[in-house]
Amino acid sequence: MNVCMVGTGYVGLVTGACLADFGMNVVCVDKDEAKIAALRAGKMPIYEPGLEQLVAKNERSGRLRFTTDLKQGVQNSLAIFIAVGTPPNPDGSPDLTFVRQVAEAIAEYRNGYKVVITKSTVPAGTGRMIDEILRSRNGQHDFSVVSNPEFLREGSAIADFLRPDRIVIGASDPRAIDVMKEIYSPLYLIDTPFVITDVASAELIKYASNGFLAVKISFINEIARLCEIMGADVHDVARGMGLDRRIGKLFLHPGPGFGGSCFPKDTAAAADLARNYGDVFEIIEATIRTNERTKARMLDRIVSVTGPVEGKTAAVLGLSFKPETDDIRESPAIAVIQSLRRAGAKVRACDPAAVENARAVLADVVFTEDAYACATGADFVVLATEWNEFRALNLDELGRRLKSRTMVDLRNVYEPREMKAAGWKYAGVGRG
Ligand code: NAD
């Protein structure tokens, strides 16, 4: 089957490469000419483990191509995925401009029956909007609109795509459901659960899932704050909670607040969706406030260990919003650096993959090759993103590079007792 993937960002590129690996003929389309030129030259526009090899393998097989020609992509394909960005507007609502533009182009270019599939995260009602756009022109050509939200996580995107917990398909037309089952047949064969529902329910499943996970993260971050006040240990509390199977132990790790391109945007969009219907999504509104408070209180956590930071130099380890990605969108590490700068600290920083992206948004920060160079001459270390290379630091060497052995570990990588025994002034999050 010929498949067109519109948008070759984190989602579109991974999905396109994986579907080609499933045996589909995939053409990935992007309006960003530099991105397409780089992809054709074998250069990945993003850092995602395993992606370069997967793309190269499927390009060699002839099943994966890159182009800026949307018209050709639409006309040669039966299934067209929309995987463009849906960034937040200042009021929290998602900006659907790119989705609308692509839907209009598909409406205009279509030359036969097409299955138009939204993979971008969009509010319930977007499928109806796409349906209306397609209906408004070129009426002689039939079409079906499908919602197929994506749940992959950056950093483990390929593994997530190939072994998902579920595939959600929102569609009302049996022809479109058959096309979706064929596209995902390798996952069907390994007994991946398929949730087949109407378009609006599928759209809502994505917001409900991300909203729930954001609530869970914020919940444990609130518990962490209480633990600090009461001298308790959030790791023990999380373990005691998580062993209850009704709760589950995942997403109970405290930290500097959630970030990335999804949770902040999708919680804001879910709150906006409710507001548009005259309702209030109370728990999501509270989660958004809690997350802001969590991010803001990280400076207090640092100052509680270092004293006033004005004139001091911080060595910040990690810039991406989580390990194994170069994505810095809404990264708590960036927020921490900005609050350190506002408080008058100088900042040195390092990251295995995200320095180039960070350079574009951070002024007056010295970027270094690795953690040891970063710590050289600094007053204290802030561990902001738990990359593997920061989990196994040579603490003696790190300590020698610093003016004093002081670490604020916003990811609770190290054990407070061991750090104190090794002569470190140390604090994690929610640990007494
Ligand atoms: P991204 O910003 O990395 O990529 C979007 C791409 O779309 C860009 O390359 C852009 O040039 C391209 N684009 C925009 N308008 C276009 C047009 N008219 N024609 C062709 N290309 C166009 O975004 P992303 O992180 O891949 O996210 C895409 C969608 O998937 C969003 O709705 C997001 O919420 C959702 N999503 C993201 C993740 C994730 O982990 N990043 C996970 C699940 C869902």
Side-chain angles (χ1 to χ4, degrees), residues 5-13 29-33 35 46 68 70 82-87 97-99 101-102 105 119-122 149-154 157 206 210 261-262 265-266 321-322 327 329:
M5 185 66 55
V6 190
T8 53
Y10 288 87
V11 167
L13 185 53
V29 182
D30 205 290
K31 65 178 183 181
D32 184 335
E33 288 177 11
K35 199 177 254 190
I46 52 168
T68 52
L70 181 55
I82 303 177
V84 296
T86 48
T97 308
F98 300 142
V99 173
Q101 281 169 354
V102 176
K119 217 173 219 330
S120 300
T121 302
V122 293
E150 183 50 57
F151 300 95
L152 60 76
R153 297 161 299 173
E154 288 173 25
K206 176 67 188 180
N210 273 5
S261 69
C262 291
K265 164 172 89 64
D266 296 349
F321 82 94
K322 67 174 185 177
D327 199 343
R329 289 177 282 185

Side-chain angles (χ1 to χ4, degrees), residues 242-275:
L243 286 170
D244 184 328
R245 273 171 297 176
R246 294 168 304 175
I247 298 173
K249 61 182 183 201
L250 299 178
F251 275 73
L252 286 181
H253 196 83
F258 57 76
S261 69
C262 291
F263 289 160
K265 164 172 89 64
D266 296 349
T267 47
D272 176 74
L273 183 66
R275 261 183 257 125

Side-chain angles (χ1 to χ4, degrees), residues 266-328:
D266 296 349
T267 47
D272 176 74
L273 183 66
R275 261 183 257 125
N276 284 342
Y277 287 89
D279 200 8
V280 181
F281 200 158
E282 297 279 8
I283 196 165
I284 289 294
E285 301 271 9
T287 296
I288 294 167
R289 282 197 303 275
T290 299
N291 199 50
E292 285 310 311
R293 185 154 86 136
T294 302
K295 285 199 284 186
R297 85 180 187 86
M298 290 302 116
L299 182 63
D300 301 336
R301 196 68 190 142
I302 293 168
V303 170
S304 74
V305 182
T306 63
V309 294
E310 191 172 3
K312 292 186 179 152
T313 300
V316 178
L317 310 187
L319 294 160
S320 55
F321 82 94
K322 67 174 185 177
E324 300 298 337
T325 180
D326 60 351
D327 199 343
I328 57 158

Side-chain angles (χ1 to χ4, degrees), residues 162-429:
L162 299 177
R163 296 258 161 203
D165 290 336
R166 76 300 208 188
I167 295 289
V168 174
I169 296 171
S172 51
D173 183 344
R175 285 177 302 174
I177 295 171
D178 285 345
V179 166
M180 295 306 289
K181 282 188 180 164
E182 189 182 332
I183 290 173
Y184 285 113
S185 60
L187 299 181
Y188 209 60
L189 294 174
I190 57 167
D191 282 338
T192 306
F194 276 56
V195 179
I196 299 178
T197 179
D198 59 276
V199 173
S201 301
E203 290 168 336
L204 210 48
I205 285 170
K206 176 67 188 180
Y207 279 141
S209 304
N210 273 5
F212 190 83
L213 293 171
V215 169
K216 212 170 167 190
I217 296 170
S218 284
F219 188 90
I220 201 66
N221 282 337
E222 290 278 83
I223 296 289
R225 196 169 46 82
L226 285 177
C227 286
E228 283 167 22
I229 294 167
M230 290 162 186
D233 187 331
V234 69
H235 282 207
D236 292 344
V237 177
R239 185 169 142 74
M241 285 170 68
L243 286 170
D244 184 328
R245 273 171 297 176
R246 294 168 304 175
I247 298 173
K249 61 182 183 201
L250 299 178
F251 275 73
L252 286 181
H253 196 83
F258 57 76
S261 69
C262 291
F263 289 160
K265 164 172 89 64
D266 296 349
T267 47
D272 176 74
L273 183 66
R275 261 183 257 125
N276 284 342
Y277 287 89
D279 200 8
V280 181
F281 200 158
E282 297 279 8
I283 196 165
I284 289 294
E285 301 271 9
T287 296
I288 294 167
R289 282 197 303 275
T290 299
N291 199 50
E292 285 310 311
R293 185 154 86 136
T294 302
K295 285 199 284 186
R297 85 180 187 86
M298 290 302 116
L299 182 63
D300 301 336
R301 196 68 190 142
I302 293 168
V303 170
S304 74
V305 182
T306 63
V309 294
E310 191 172 3
K312 292 186 179 152
T313 300
V316 178
L317 310 187
L319 294 160
S320 55
F321 82 94
K322 67 174 185 177
E324 300 298 337
T325 180
D326 60 351
D327 199 343
I328 57 158
R329 289 177 282 185
E330 301 284 329
S331 171
I334 303 287
V336 164
I337 289 175
Q338 285 165 337
S339 55
L340 282 164
R341 293 283 301 125
R342 276 195 301 274
K346 298 187 201 90
V347 175
R348 300 165 67 78
C350 65
D351 187 284
V355 166
E356 283 320 306
N357 287 340
R359 226 184 265 284
V361 299
L362 292 173
D364 299 329
V365 169
V366 175
F367 295 102
T368 65
E369 193 62 22
D370 61 18
Y372 305 101
C374 193
T376 303
D379 292 274
F380 58 92
V381 166
V382 177
L383 203 166
T385 313
E386 69 281 31
W387 284 87
N388 276 341
E389 67 181 63
F390 304 145
R391 287 178 180 277
L393 290 166
N394 178 337
L395 292 171
D396 279 339
E397 178 60 21
L398 194 76
R400 268 195 294 279
R401 303 283 187 116
L402 287 164
K403 282 190 196 151
S404 77
R405 293 184 154 221
T406 307
M407 181 189 286
V408 186
D409 178 1
L410 303 182
R411 300 291 184 170
N412 289 354
V413 167
Y414 291 97
E415 268 306 313
R417 212 162 303 174
E418 289 169 17
M419 292 300 281
K420 276 168 198 158
W424 284 79
K425 231 169 139 186
Y426 171 91
V429 174

